[in-house]
Amino acid sequence: MRLLFVALFSFFLSVPAGFQSAFPVRFQIKNAGITVEGHFSESSFDVQFNPKDLSNSYLRGKVLPSSINTGIGLRDKHLQGRQYFQSASYPEVQMHSKRIRSLGKNQYEGVFEIQIKDFRQDKTISFSAIPKGKGYEFEAKFSINRLDFGIGEKSLVLGDEVVVEIKLRKE
Amino acid sequence: MGKNKLVQLPLWTWILAILPLLAFGVGKGKWGNFSVQFIQEIPRIWTDLAMKNWELPNSNPEFSAQPVSEEFYYSLPERVIFKTYPVYHPDYEPDGYWEWLHEQEAEIVFDPKNLKTEEDWIRAGELLFDYPIDTLGAVIGTEHVRDRDFYRDTQMPLTSEGVMPFAKWVVAGKGKVYLGNLSCGMCHTRVMEDGSLLKGAQGNWPGDKAFAYALEKDGASEKAIQNVTGFLFSSPFVAGDPHGKLIASGKDSLVAAYRAVPEGAFGRQGTSILYPPQAPNLIGVKDRKYLDHGGLGQHRNIEDMMRYIAMNQALDFLNFYGDYNPLGLTKERLYSGQPIIFPGTYDRHSDEQLLAIAKYVYSLTPPENPNKLSTLSEKGKIIFAQQGCVTCHTPPLFTNNQLTPADGFEIPEEHYGKYDIFDISVGTDPGYTLNTRRGTGYYKIPSLLGLWYRGPFLHDASLAKLEDLFDPARLRGDYVPTGFKPHTVKTRAVKGHEFGMDLGKEDKEALIAYLKTL
């Protein structure tokens, strides 16, 4: 019975790629002392999450660099180019959990592999998963160094650190 | 310190002590028997090896410039630099000045042996910067500048003393008074609103209007005007041959095309009066990585600057572009040993002279900016960052020193490793960089320093004021460009660089206030 419950619950969470929020993946970066905010308008997620069976839970996500939006069209086009995301050659940025552990009530920590272009990096990320209706609202905020992923070069004005915020609801 | 302690000093302290002498040499002078002398290395700049890859290829690489050989270049005689004298508007010329000029003897004013210090070299460089390389009347002649109509017709800027600073009187001997054209200062000198001069700035010499005046005043034939226009701008290898069409359009059309180029832009040889280049601001040029609007010349060191000066002062008339030479030369004729009597091509600056000019240009600094920081400009500074201007116009140089491709140019893969490329077009008019002999397919991302004393703006000088840049009306076909507009049209959209267009009125004012403080 217990196994059946887990299986059913997981089925409901393993929805096909979908967009629960308008823009689940947002980011911030300092440019000339100003925080530039942006988002990826196209993303998809594959989630199987059961707090009682974290070893079989996973969170997977993709964003399309071609959908980057910083509010300035030409800048977005440049970010898609070869000196940044090279979206023509690398159409997806991927992220998936390798393992997840609980940190207490609704709080978790996962080791995620992030892949941008040919660069891969494991990163430990804390996130919350708050039950909502039949699903969960996931929320994570973490930072990466863009230079670790070949996103542009060292710059006098553009920061290295990119703060990424993911807010996702999965029924 | 006693003698014993002196000899106990470590070796490196002695080396430090004598280093200046090793570097500068020792000679007799005012310090008793010894003085420090400044020894200036003179680079040999026009070597076949150095010239081979110094310039970027043409946007159509099959027609990239082939400069003259090292042997040819150094066989040209060095220029003799005579003392020059100011040209006055006839109403301001001191009484008896013209007669006095004719009584002067020639005076040779550049001798590298007299240059003992860095300051000496810079002073000599300033003199050379203002020295005309042509006395054959390449642009205007004596009869023009002594005619009041010339100033009225061309709206020629004058200094507060009534001097027309873009040309000089060259005295090559008693009674030999020639009007000199084609100094560096001709295009890179600005008469400010108060009548003062700002050397090295984006000039405001209405050169093409002056040339049009001269052509008409002299009654130049259609054929002559077609020929000279061909020498200056022909690029028959370009798709559609726009300059060939311009030349075929006839005398009146050609004169109108020259007249259409505003002050602050100039159809230099190899460029265009269809896509005239804004006269570049040289103040701060030391920090630029590329020279020319299309980034034609790499600027990696002072030798590159010297090469650019040598080339830009007319040696590019002798270039071959494929089999095409602008003067109609064949390679056999070019290398026949016979001189080519065309302004700027039958002699050359010595390497010492080029070095002096380069040092002077490097020494240029901006004047004090009257636009002080304010609450409004501070707001503009934030908008500048928010709008992403900093990405290309990166402080402190306010350029990222990169090349941006024009619409229609596909960046060759090998360029990414060779040049500094910002691989996105901002959509400005591609004509200059795709349709001229100097075109590379790129535009240099310009520095915004000194905007307050410059104008007109954009590489083709199509906008008179900064405010025009942020005016959405300029994107429409019924827009009347406030700067350059081709002679064939009454209205034209000024497209590209469409940043900050959506800002509100107050934000635009703040942004412009900030830009004027740079």
Side-chain angles (χ1 to χ4, degrees):
Chain A
M1 181 64 192
R2 189 172 175 186
L3 281 173
L4 181 64
F5 175 80
V6 168
L8 283 172
F9 195 75
S10 298
F11 174 79
F12 281 116
L13 283 179
S14 275
V15 290
F19 305 100
Q20 308 299 321
S21 162
F23 307 119
V25 183
R26 296 175 178 274
F27 61 86
Q28 296 179 344
I29 188 167
K30 287 269 188 188
N31 196 22
I34 300 290
T35 300
V36 174
E37 297 183 346
H39 63 263
F40 294 92
S41 57
E42 291 185 43
S43 54
S44 63
F45 301 91
D46 178 12
V47 175
Q48 178 155 309
F49 186 75
N50 181 352
K52 294 177 181 170
D53 186 13
L54 291 175
S55 59
N56 285 312
S57 297
Y58 60 79
L59 299 152
R60 296 171 185 154
K62 294 176 183 175
V63 297
L64 305 189
S66 58
S67 70
I68 195 167
N69 187 329
T70 64
I72 298 174
L74 267 174
R75 178 162 66 189
D76 297 341
K77 201 172 164 190
H78 186 234
L79 290 170
Q80 293 161 29
R82 64 181 284 151
Q83 290 159 329
Y84 288 85
F85 282 100
Q86 288 182 264
S87 62
S89 304
Y90 302 96
E92 294 178 346
V93 168
Q94 299 183 22
M95 179 174 170
H96 68 267
S97 61
K98 289 182 158 182
R99 52 187 178 275
I100 299 170
R101 72 182 180 101
S102 173
L103 295 179
K105 189 181 179 189
N106 297 335
Q107 298 298 311
Y108 302 88
E109 184 182 83
V111 174
F112 289 81
E113 182 184 278
I114 301 171
Q115 183 183 354
I116 304 176
K117 300 197 280 190
D118 286 333
F119 299 90
R120 286 186 169 86
Q121 193 179 81
D122 283 353
K123 189 156 187 73
T124 302
I125 297 171
S126 299
F127 66 93
S128 60
I130 298 169
K132 284 278 176 181
K134 293 178 181 176
Y136 287 87
E137 275 186 358
F138 298 93
E139 191 168 337
K141 191 173 185 178
F142 58 96
S143 63
I144 59 171
N145 186 329
R146 64 182 178 85
L147 300 177
D148 293 342
F149 297 93
I151 303 298
E153 295 178 338
K154 190 78 182 164
S155 165
L156 284 174
V157 291
L158 184 63
D160 299 340
E161 184 183 87
V162 183
V163 176
V164 181
E165 198 170 357
I166 301 175
K167 285 185 180 176
L168 175 69
R169 183 169 184 174
K170 281 291 187 184
E171 294 293 340
Chain B
M1 188 180 285
K3 187 181 176 185
N4 287 342
K5 286 194 176 175
L6 273 176
V7 295
Q8 286 168 9
L9 287 172
L11 182 61
W12 65 267
T13 57
W14 289 102
I15 293 173
L16 277 183
I18 64 169
L19 201 57
L21 300 181
L22 294 173
F24 295 100
V26 178
K28 285 190 174 180
K30 62 183 179 182
W31 299 350
N33 287 329
F34 299 102
S35 69
V36 175
Q37 286 185 355
F38 180 82
I39 297 174
Q40 179 63 62
E41 295 262 342
I42 310 297
R44 183 177 173 87
I45 54 106
W46 201 290
T47 66
D48 290 335
L49 184 65
M51 297 305 289
K52 194 174 175 187
N53 294 315
W54 160 60
E55 285 191 345
L56 266 70
N58 190 273
S59 55
N60 183 347
E62 199 181 326
F63 298 96
S64 297
Q66 306 159 50
V68 296
S69 69
E70 178 177 358
E71 184 183 2
F72 179 96
Y73 179 81
Y74 283 106
S75 72
L76 295 171
E78 293 179 3
R79 291 189 177 115
V80 177
I81 309 300
F82 295 109
K83 187 172 180 180
T84 62
Y85 299 85
V87 174
Y88 288 91
H89 182 287
D91 291 344
Y92 292 85
E93 189 172 289
D95 288 343
Y97 181 68
W98 186 238
E99 293 73 22
W100 176 83
L101 275 180
H102 284 74
E103 290 164 8
Q104 302 308 302
E105 297 285 355
E107 189 180 335
I108 294 173
V109 290
F110 180 83
D111 183 349
K113 290 199 292 294
N114 296 332
L115 308 180
K116 307 291 187 193
T117 66
E118 182 73 8
E119 289 70 31
D120 289 344
W121 278 89
I122 290 170
R123 270 194 297 275
E126 181 174 9
L127 188 148
L128 286 155
F129 179 87
D130 286 328
Y131 191 76
I133 64 165
D134 164 71
T135 52
L136 299 175
V139 186
I140 50 174
T142 298
E143 63 281 13
H144 306 128
V145 300
R146 296 189 60 72
D147 180 349
R148 287 174 181 80
D149 288 348
F150 169 73
Y151 298 89
R152 190 165 46 244
D153 185 88
T154 60
Q155 298 180 295
M156 184 65 65
L158 298 175
T159 70
S160 45
E161 296 83 24
V163 170
M164 193 276 282
F166 310 111
K168 301 278 182 189
W169 295 117
V170 177
V171 175
K174 195 167 183 179
K176 296 179 180 173
V177 181
Y178 304 115
L179 186 76
N181 287 285
L182 303 183
S183 68
C184 306
M186 191 174 220
C187 295
H188 303 289
T189 296
R190 192 171 188 90
V191 180
M192 305 294 279
E193 281 183 10
D194 63 359
S196 63
L197 282 185
L198 184 52
K199 288 189 180 181
Q202 177 184 356
N204 50 1
W205 149 245
D208 287 306
K209 292 185 195 302
F211 190 50
Y213 175 89
L215 291 172
E216 289 192 312
K217 192 77 178 177
D218 296 352
S221 69
E222 179 167 274
K223 187 69 184 164
I225 297 173
Q226 288 174 320
N227 283 342
V228 74
T229 305
F231 297 154
L232 288 166
F233 311 123
S234 270
S235 49
F237 46 86
V238 165
D241 192 13
H243 295 102
K245 288 176 181 154
L246 170 69
I247 289 165
S249 68
K251 178 178 176 176
D252 291 346
S253 169
L254 281 165
V255 171
Y258 283 106
R259 282 197 180 279
V261 179
E263 63 180 47
F266 187 53
R268 197 69 194 264
Q269 77 275 0
T271 67
S272 180
I273 45 175
L274 295 174
Y275 326 102
Q278 176 200 52
N281 179 36
L282 300 186
I283 298 172
V285 74
K286 184 179 181 183
D287 297 318
R288 309 281 170 270
K289 279 191 172 179
Y290 296 92
L291 304 171
D292 231 76
H293 279 294
L296 179 67
Q298 296 185 79
H299 185 206
R300 300 155 297 189
N301 48 44
I302 198 167
E303 295 173 27
D304 281 342
M305 176 57 81
M306 294 164 66
R307 284 182 196 106
Y308 184 81
I309 296 165
M311 180 67 90
N312 199 40
Q313 283 197 315
L315 257 294
D316 51 353
F317 277 118
L318 303 183
N319 284 349
F320 276 80
Y321 303 84
D323 291 330
Y324 174 73
N325 170 266
L327 303 183
L329 298 169
T330 62
K331 287 187 180 170
E332 291 71 29
R333 169 66 183 86
L334 176 66
Y335 292 114
S336 67
Q338 297 299 310
I340 294 148
I341 304 301
F342 190 83
T345 64
Y346 51 83
D347 57 3
R348 66 176 173 89
H349 277 320
S350 67
D351 285 336
E352 287 89 346
Q353 291 167 351
L354 292 171
L355 181 62
I357 301 172
K359 281 177 180 284
Y360 171 65
V361 168
Y362 276 13
S363 78
L364 292 167
T365 52
E368 186 182 347
N369 190 336
N371 303 289
K372 303 302 178 195
L373 297 175
S374 65
T375 309
L376 189 64
S377 72
E378 285 301 306
K379 181 183 172 188
K381 184 178 182 180
I382 293 167
I383 295 168
F384 185 76
Q386 284 172 337
Q387 291 293 309
C389 311
V390 289
T391 305
C392 288
H393 302 291
T394 313
L397 300 177
F398 289 87
T399 171
N400 60 12
N401 260 327
Q402 292 185 311
L403 303 171
T404 170
D407 284 352
F409 179 67
E410 192 167 327
I411 302 170
E413 188 62 29
E414 67 269 21
H415 283 202
Y416 283 101
K418 281 184 179 176
Y419 311 121
D420 304 281
I421 293 171
F422 187 85
D423 62 350
I424 191 166
S425 168
V426 294
T428 51
D429 188 294
Y432 175 88
T433 202
L434 294 184
N435 295 339
T436 71
R437 303 200 292 253
R438 296 193 189 205
T440 61
Y442 298 101
Y443 287 119
K444 184 172 67 173
I445 293 173
S447 170
L448 304 185
L449 292 174
L451 283 176
W452 67 270
Y453 58 76
R454 296 199 259 142
F457 300 103
L458 294 183
H459 68 262
D460 58 0
S462 51
L463 297 175
K465 300 187 307 253
L466 279 178
E467 286 78 359
D468 304 331
L469 191 65
F470 302 108
D471 179 3
R474 74 171 168 90
L475 305 178
R476 299 198 309 253
D478 62 351
Y479 184 70
V480 180
T482 50
F484 168 73
K485 79 177 156 62
H487 66 293
T488 50
V489 301
K490 288 185 176 162
T491 64
R492 185 174 80 150
V494 179
K495 292 185 177 170
H497 198 277
E498 293 161 21
F499 303 102
M501 311 289 278
D502 300 328
L503 290 171
K505 183 172 175 283
E506 288 179 3
D507 283 350
K508 281 181 188 173
E509 286 172 359
L511 181 57
I512 290 166
Y514 173 63
L515 293 173
K516 288 182 177 174
T517 66
L518 301 179

